[in-house]
Amino acid sequence: MQGRIHSLESFGTVDGPGIRFVVFFQGCPMRCQYCHNPDTWKVDAGTLMSADEILKQYERNKEFYGNGGITATGGEPLLQMPFLIELFREAKKRGIHTCLDTSGITYREIKDQEFQELFQYTDLVMLDIKCADPIGHKELTANPIEPVIGFMHAL
């Protein structure tokens, strides 16, 4: 299985605790007015990579990640749920701390079982609530807040 990856950052310090290997997933359904990664929006762009390829790059500098781990961010990692689950499952097999940085926008109750599987392999979720007010959220992101709230309750 392969995922569409925008880029990799080998020494992230703001994407979770410690020093992190940051995986920027390609694709995002949000259109946030203040997005700092609009180049991640297109779902059909990026580089196809396997979980093993990503983790091999992590392994090159693993000595530096002792108090950190790997963070999936984007774009929106949840758009590539099967690949994200595989990446985190393989990371956990190697004893790597996993962090998900997400807006939660793709959550649907009908897919709760898939989300629960992901949560088994996720050590930390940084839920990026763009605006707590439903009207403000829609204005800022062009998306409703209800999926985000659903994701929060699923956690």
Side-chain angles (χ1 to χ4, degrees):
M1 179 185 313
Q2 293 184 310
R4 290 193 175 274
I5 304 303
H6 175 270
S7 57
L8 303 170
E9 181 180 325
S10 56
F11 294 101
T13 58
V14 296
D15 297 291
I19 299 173
R20 316 286 305 175
F21 185 78
V22 185
V23 181
F24 290 88
F25 280 60
Q26 186 68 44
C28 187
M30 304 276 268
R31 294 298 179 260
C32 300
Q33 292 179 20
Y34 51 84
C35 180
H36 64 278
N37 292 331
D39 50 326
T40 65
W41 288 359
K42 291 182 182 179
V43 296
D44 59 351
T47 302
L48 289 172
M49 296 185 78
S50 69
D52 190 53
E53 288 176 293
I54 292 170
L55 293 172
K56 279 182 182 175
Q57 290 199 33
Y58 172 94
E59 294 289 333
R60 284 195 248 164
N61 297 307
K62 69 180 179 179
E63 303 82 33
F64 294 98
Y65 306 130
N67 65 344
I70 189 169
T71 297
T73 189
E76 178 51 67
L78 297 177
L79 280 179
Q80 300 183 58
M81 182 75 91
F83 180 73
L84 177 60
I85 291 170
E86 180 176 323
L87 176 63
F88 276 14
R89 180 176 43 239
E90 293 304 311
K92 294 312 300 171
K93 285 180 185 176
R94 299 175 191 204
I96 300 169
H97 182 274
T98 57
C99 176
L100 172 62
D101 183 1
T102 180
S103 68
I105 196 65
T106 68
Y107 181 79
R108 301 295 181 271
E109 189 173 344
I110 195 166
K111 291 190 164 207
D112 189 65
Q113 188 172 355
E114 190 176 20
F115 280 90
Q116 293 306 318
E117 181 181 4
L118 172 64
F119 298 158
Q120 289 178 49
Y121 307 112
T122 306
D123 294 312
L124 174 66
V125 175
M126 296 190 309
L127 180 57
D128 186 2
I129 299 174
K130 307 296 182 177
C131 181
D133 173 66
I135 294 170
H137 191 276
K138 180 82 171 170
E139 289 173 357
L140 285 172
T141 70
N143 284 270
I145 196 170
E146 288 76 16
V148 178
I149 301 302
F151 180 84
M152 181 179 66
H153 288 293
L155 281 171

